[in-house]
Amino acid sequence: MIDPKLLRDNIDYIKELLQKRNMAGAIDLDALKRIDDERRAAIAKTGELRETRNRVSKEIGGRKSKGEDAAALMKEMEGVNAGIKDLDALQESLNTQFNDILLSLPNVLDSSVPEGKDENDNKVVRYWGEKPKFDFEPKPHFDIGAELNILDFERGVKLAGARFYVYRGLAARLERAIINFMLDLHTTEHGYTEIFAPFIVNDDSMIGTGQYPKFKDEYYRIERDGLSLIPTAEVPLTNLYRDEILEKEQLPLYVTMQSSCFRREAGSAGKDTRGLVRVHQFQKVELVKFVEPETSFDELEKLVANAEEVLRRLNIHYRVVLLCSGDVSASSAKTYDIEVWMPGLDRYVEISSCSNFLDYQARRARIRYRRAKGEKPALVHTLNGSGLAAGRTLAAVMENYQTADGAITIPDVLRPYMK
RNA sequence: GGAGAGAUGCCAGAGCGGUUGAAUGGGGCGGUCUCGAAAACCGUUGAGGGGUUUCCCCUCCGAGGGUUCGAAUCCCUCUCUCUCCGCCA
């Protein structure tokens, strides 16, 4: 969440922000301000009453221990206690309202984010490599996979339904190789520590990274246990340090983890219905950073470079896109997408999304660090990015490395992993 | 799933219902001593929030309710952890 003080000091800034994010009118800021004012008034008033209660109760204790009469004082406390009770109830109701709205407010935007309505206004910041030339008509990965009998969508449907798939033989092995290659690259060359954590998390975790409460429809939740299947390893990784105070020396802290990711893909009916591009379960290697605030934008550039390096070593053409204000996710202040070239689909496909969340997630999840001994803890900045989505990487390898006879050449960097 | 035990500050570990935000020990930090270090001794060391913001106040002893003028201490519910049994990749 954003700093509540911003609401008091500069409400126009937030109004403008919502405008840029195409969210104007979605949130009643004036009502929120009113609730906050009432809320703080109630806090101040109960504070006074409690102070009275503490003082008088001590007085009562003192008199009783001396055997003196305290009946008058006890009588006096009845009114005070009734007042506290009423104000507590009011405060609780106001706090709930306030937090609900606050949690659904999006993050601030960095000034470098271009203004725009939707993905058409995103800015391409660079291209790497070139589109490969084929002396035949390149096929989409799902056709290649069907012909080689390594991607089985029919049986995926039989087992779990639409948008599920089965890998057989080479595809299963190739994806495993891709994941291992990516993890090794990030841990041995980019300084990330490999983590393995649960794929199922509690609501506090989902709130911490911003999935809940606003976007509940997009995830699988096991109601009976109050747990959710993670849509990305960002959730367990970022929440590793929820409710903790880190030492300055621990920063910057880089972690990576491979996981399956589960998404309902609500609202994307009819989109990317074939193949591996949009499915309910896919594997991904995620990169997460905890850093000092001053460094977070530099760290974002390095994070994108770490993700790009995967495609460079695979020698696959891609471009990097800076998302515009209307397309950046609610939690993020600035996001770069890496889009890989898919010759069979004849378009670029998002394969990584790298974001700087500033203190938005850290405030929700209470992830702090000690700037200097004796000082109050400060919020860290968190970042994350895919490094990369494994299923889409598999599809990209299949399409870019396909041969005229319908086979796939294994990229050099993956060969050690295919022995 | 069955039976039992427990949940207190960075850690360990006390805490007749009243002045306990919390004894004591350890650790950390600062100091004395020392050529330096160790030892010893002295001091200091949680977080969140509100305000009339060099200071004052409120809240927090797993979470949520309740009893009471007053709860870390009493009652209820929940969660989690540990031990034993059962089951099991």
Side-chain angles (χ1 to χ4, degrees), chain A residues 12-134:
Chain A
D12 290 335
Y13 173 80
I14 301 180
K15 283 182 178 162
E16 200 176 303
L17 174 72
L18 293 180
Q19 200 84 42
K20 284 184 188 164
R21 283 185 177 271
N22 296 332
M23 289 176 70
I27 290 160
D28 187 346
L29 287 177
D30 295 316
L32 184 61
K33 177 107 166 65
R34 208 162 50 239
I35 292 167
D36 186 37
D37 290 343
E38 288 175 30
R39 188 182 133 263
R40 281 182 302 129
I43 289 170
K45 190 74 191 142
T46 35
E48 284 172 31
L49 289 179
R50 277 185 213 277
E51 195 271 331
T52 304
R53 179 169 80 181
N54 291 344
R55 191 162 33 76
V56 177
S57 288
K58 278 185 185 177
E59 178 65 21
I60 292 171
R63 289 199 188 184
K64 284 201 165 182
S65 67
K66 284 186 235 159
E68 296 171 10
D69 178 59
L73 287 175
M74 285 165 73
K75 187 84 181 167
E76 185 191 324
M77 293 302 288
E78 283 175 20
V80 174
N81 274 332
I84 290 176
K85 202 164 193 174
D86 290 348
L87 279 170
D88 270 350
L90 175 66
Q91 215 189 106
E92 194 188 319
S93 142
L94 289 169
N95 273 338
T96 306
Q97 294 177 49
F98 183 69
N99 285 329
D100 283 355
I101 302 177
L102 199 63
L103 281 173
S104 62
L105 271 182
N107 199 358
V108 299
L109 288 169
D110 184 57
S111 58
S112 64
V113 172
E115 280 195 44
K117 207 159 131 289
D118 52 37
E119 70 260 28
N120 297 312
D121 296 321
N122 294 342
K123 296 274 181 290
V124 176
V125 294
R126 63 180 163 270
Y127 290 91
W128 186 88
E130 285 171 16
K131 293 181 186 176
K133 293 189 170 49
F134 295 92

Side-chain angles (χ1 to χ4, degrees), chain A residues 146-293:
Chain A
E147 283 161 30
L148 291 174
N149 192 28
I150 58 173
L151 294 184
D152 185 344
F153 293 96
E154 288 77 12
R155 288 195 174 86
V157 171
K158 176 164 76 180
L159 292 173
R163 293 195 191 279
F164 286 95
Y165 55 89
V166 168
Y167 293 155
R168 173 179 286 107
L170 179 70
R173 192 159 182 205
L174 195 52
E175 182 166 298
R176 184 155 54 86
I178 287 167
I179 290 169
N180 286 337
F181 160 62
M182 295 194 290
L183 282 174
D184 285 350
L185 175 66
H186 297 314
T187 54
T188 65
E189 298 190 39
H190 297 157
Y192 293 78
T193 300
E194 185 173 353
I195 301 288
F196 194 84
F199 291 9
I200 304 176
V201 299
N202 56 28
D203 288 349
D204 283 347
S205 298
M206 292 291 273
I207 290 169
T209 27
Q211 282 75 22
Y212 289 170
K214 214 183 167 198
F215 305 103
K216 268 201 159 171
D217 302 345
E218 297 177 27
Y219 311 107
Y220 292 99
R221 186 166 187 279
I222 306 164
E223 292 300 329
R224 182 176 164 173
D225 302 294
L227 298 170
S228 299
L229 275 62
I230 57 171
T232 159
E234 162 196 351
V235 179
L237 286 179
T238 304
N239 279 284
L240 278 177
Y241 298 104
R242 173 156 48 80
D243 286 312
E244 292 194 28
I245 299 171
L246 300 167
E247 295 305 322
K248 184 186 169 81
E249 295 70 40
Q250 289 177 266
L251 304 181
L253 181 57
Y254 298 174
V255 287
T256 182
M257 165 172 164
Q258 58 108 348
S259 80
S260 290
C261 304
F262 305 90
R263 301 185 181 179
R264 309 192 83 97
E265 296 298 343
S268 54
K271 248 171 127 182
D272 303 314
T273 48
R274 300 188 68 192
L276 295 175
V277 171
R278 194 173 299 278
V279 288
H280 290 308
Q281 175 185 341
F282 61 94
Q283 286 59 245
K284 180 160 62 70
V285 170
E286 184 72 2
L287 306 170
V288 167
K289 292 183 169 188
F290 303 85
V291 307
E292 294 197 70

